């Protein structure tokens, strides 16, 4: 039956199993095999690619062939230009969580993040996941971190930071030795709010 699935079907299935935290290795292997077929993978949208990468990382299934194929798909035919904030942050997080450092992909994701129309839609979770991914790989991009810091302090964004987002963002900036006093002060202030500390 999997042979009748399209890219969206595969993406939705992988996402559902990961969201429910059901690690069916036979299913994940079958999904990976389908998704590494170039003609099939070419039908994947930005959301489908990001969801599959996220699902495999969420379940801790490290399939390097799949992740290489997804990276190749992202970097071809202008697909990356269609990535939104969620796609960028989930993809960066997935590669870092699996410990698969694809330098060209990460550099491209950093450039996409710095685009105003993408960065302006980042939430606290997007900020934390993206910063964490780059810091986990030890990839210091001062312009990226400055852009992330600036977005974090935009109206309404800081209020979306939960405890984990605050901790991961602070850790990320420290890990890559980027000192942004304004961001750290804003994160400290957000931490002291009752809704975060409770």
């Amino acid at each position: 039956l999997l042979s009748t699935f399209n890219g969206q079907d595969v993406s939705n299935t992988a996402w559902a199993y990961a969201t429910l935290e059901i690690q069916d290795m036979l299913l994940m292997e079958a999904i990976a095999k389908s998704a590494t077929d170039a003609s099939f993978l070419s039908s994947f949208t930005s959301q489908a690619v990001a969801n599959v990468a996220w699902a495999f990382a969420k379940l801790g299934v490290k399939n390097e062939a799949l992740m290489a194929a997804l990276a190749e798909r992202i970097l071809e035919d202008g697909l990356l230009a269609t990535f939104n904030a969620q796609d960028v942050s989930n993809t960066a997080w997935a590669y870092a969580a699996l410990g698969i450092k694809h330098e060209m992909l990460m550099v491209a994701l950093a450039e996409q993040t710095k685009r105003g129309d993408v960065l302006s839609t980042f939430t606290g979770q997007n900020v934390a996941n993206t910063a964490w991914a780059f810091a986990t790989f030890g990839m210091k991009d001062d312009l990226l971190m400055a852009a992330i810091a600036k977005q974090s302090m935009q109206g309404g964004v800081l209020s979306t930071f939960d405890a984990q987002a605050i901790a991961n963002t602070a850790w990320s900036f420290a890990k890559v030795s980027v000192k942004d006093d304004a961001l750290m002060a804003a994160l400290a202030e957000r931490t002291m709010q009752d809704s975060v500390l409770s």
Side-chain angles (χ1 to χ4, degrees), residues 125-179:
Q125 188 68 53
N126 300 144
V127 165
N129 285 352
T130 304
W132 180 86
F134 282 87
T136 296
F137 285 139
M139 297 178 73
K140 183 176 181 179
D141 180 331
D142 289 326
L143 292 176
L144 173 66
M145 298 307 274
I148 285 174
K150 183 177 178 184
Q151 175 60 18
S152 298
M153 293 181 287
Q154 294 302 310
V157 176
L158 196 61
S159 67
T160 68
F161 277 69
D162 62 12
Q164 184 176 7
I166 292 167
N168 287 352
T169 302
W171 176 87
S172 300
F173 276 75
K175 176 80 168 140
V176 294
S177 301
V178 173
K179 184 178 179 185

Side-chain angles (χ1 to χ4, degrees), residues 79-158:
L79 183 67
L80 182 61
T82 67
F83 268 49
N84 63 27
Q86 191 72 33
D87 299 334
V88 168
S89 67
N90 282 354
T91 302
W93 177 86
Y95 279 82
L98 291 171
I100 299 173
K101 186 175 182 180
H102 191 294
E103 191 97 23
M104 283 179 54
L105 174 63
M106 295 304 290
V107 168
L109 289 172
E111 292 306 310
Q112 182 69 1
T113 298
K114 290 183 262 188
R115 280 187 33 193
D117 61 323
V118 175
L119 186 62
S120 66
T121 62
F122 263 48
T123 64
Q125 188 68 53
N126 300 144
V127 165
N129 285 352
T130 304
W132 180 86
F134 282 87
T136 296
F137 285 139
M139 297 178 73
K140 183 176 181 179
D141 180 331
D142 289 326
L143 292 176
L144 173 66
M145 298 307 274
I148 285 174
K150 183 177 178 184
Q151 175 60 18
S152 298
M153 293 181 287
Q154 294 302 310
V157 176
L158 196 61

Side-chain angles (χ1 to χ4, degrees), residues 6 8 11 24 28 35 37 50 61-62 71 82 96-97 100 112 144 163 169 173-174 178 181 190 197-198:
N6 63 30
Q8 191 64 50
S11 168
D24 185 315
M28 298 311 282
D37 176 81
V61 178
K62 187 174 184 175
T82 67
I100 299 173
Q112 182 69 1
L144 173 66
T169 302
F173 276 75
V178 173
D181 292 333
R190 174 73 179 131
L197 285 177
S198 57

